[in-house]
């Protein structure tokens, strides 16, 4: 069965069925539950990080009351830039 990754059917080269092979070191139900919880928490954390990264990516512009070229707001200290670049590397 495609969703039964804990066992496979074993056949010889001519197609004769030799038997079923079972996963020798299968995880316990408790381990599987903990793994699912960990993966869910990681997925949640990655979604939050992505949302924050998208907010940082947006360019901000100074308000204008007359028609003038757009002025980007880019007040970032050198320390902030270095910290963010180091975290990304």
């Amino acid at each position: 069965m495609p969703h039964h990754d804990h066992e496979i059917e074993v056949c010889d080269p001519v197609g004769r069925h030799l038997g079923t092979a079972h996963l020798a070191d299968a995880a316990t139900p408790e381990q599987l539950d903990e793994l699912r919880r960990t993966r869910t928490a990681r997925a949640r954390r990655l979604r939050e990080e992505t949302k924050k990264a998208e907010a940082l990516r947006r360019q901000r512009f100074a308000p204008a009351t007359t028609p003038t070229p757009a002025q980007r707001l880019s007040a970032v200290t050198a320390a902030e830039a270095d910290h963010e670049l180091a975290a990304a590397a």
Side-chain angles (χ1 to χ4, degrees):
M1 300 295 290
H3 300 292
H4 289 236
D5 54 359
H6 61 281
E7 64 181 29
I8 60 169
E9 299 301 322
V10 181
C11 299
D12 66 5
V14 291
R16 192 175 70 229
H17 185 263
L18 299 176
T20 303
H22 296 275
L23 187 60
D25 59 348
T28 65
E30 294 81 17
Q31 288 173 316
L32 293 173
D33 288 342
E34 182 62 28
L35 184 59
R36 284 187 200 98
R37 280 192 296 274
T38 301
R39 287 177 177 172
T40 300
R42 181 171 183 250
R44 187 178 307 116
R45 188 173 54 253
L46 289 172
R47 277 193 299 273
E48 291 170 4
E49 287 179 20
T50 300
K51 188 175 180 181
K52 289 177 185 178
E54 284 298 320
L56 289 173
R57 234 173 48 102
R58 283 188 224 120
Q59 292 190 11
R60 305 211 188 285
F61 297 91
T65 56
T66 59
T68 58
Q71 300 287 330
R72 280 197 180 108
L73 297 175
S74 59
V76 177
T77 66
E80 290 172 333
D82 287 340
H83 178 68
E84 191 170 334
L85 290 172

